[in-house]
Amino acid sequence: MLEAAKKCLGFFDYILLIAAVYMFSHFDYSNLDIVEIVYIVSFTLWIIMLTVRIYITYKGKGEKELK
């Protein structure tokens, strides 16, 4: 499964993850703006879609092809 994750993650996926870690570490969670809430929801949806993309790649190509 880790091999499928490595094949699915591209350059911009890593950039997005780095930006998310930076932004989430600087949020004031007791006083969120609507823009920050939208970013959190968007990032959550992106993580769900990334998980589905990795799963489809893993099951679609077969486990033996990725090894």
Side-chain angles (χ1 to χ4, degrees), residues 8 49-62:
C8 281
M49 289 185 286
L50 179 66
T51 305
V52 169
R53 184 173 49 163
I54 291 171
Y55 178 78
I56 289 171
T57 302
Y58 183 69
K59 291 297 181 182
K61 292 189 177 182

Side-chain angles (χ1 to χ4, degrees), residues 16-41:
L16 189 65
L17 283 171
I18 291 168
V21 167
Y22 177 77
M23 289 182 73
F24 284 146
S25 67
H26 288 84
F27 280 163
D28 179 17
Y29 289 101
S30 63
N31 189 21
L32 288 175
D33 290 338
I34 189 72
V35 174
E36 293 167 339
I37 294 170
V38 168
Y39 181 76
I40 292 170
V41 170

Side-chain angles (χ1 to χ4, degrees), residues 1-23 39 43 46-47 50 53-54:
M1 185 86 166
L2 189 60
E3 292 296 320
K6 286 180 184 177
K7 286 190 174 197
C8 281
L9 289 174
F11 175 73
F12 289 109
D13 292 324
Y14 290 117
I15 296 295
L16 189 65
L17 283 171
I18 291 168
V21 167
Y22 177 77
M23 289 182 73
Y39 181 76
F43 184 74
W46 178 78
I47 287 291
L50 179 66
R53 184 173 49 163
I54 291 171

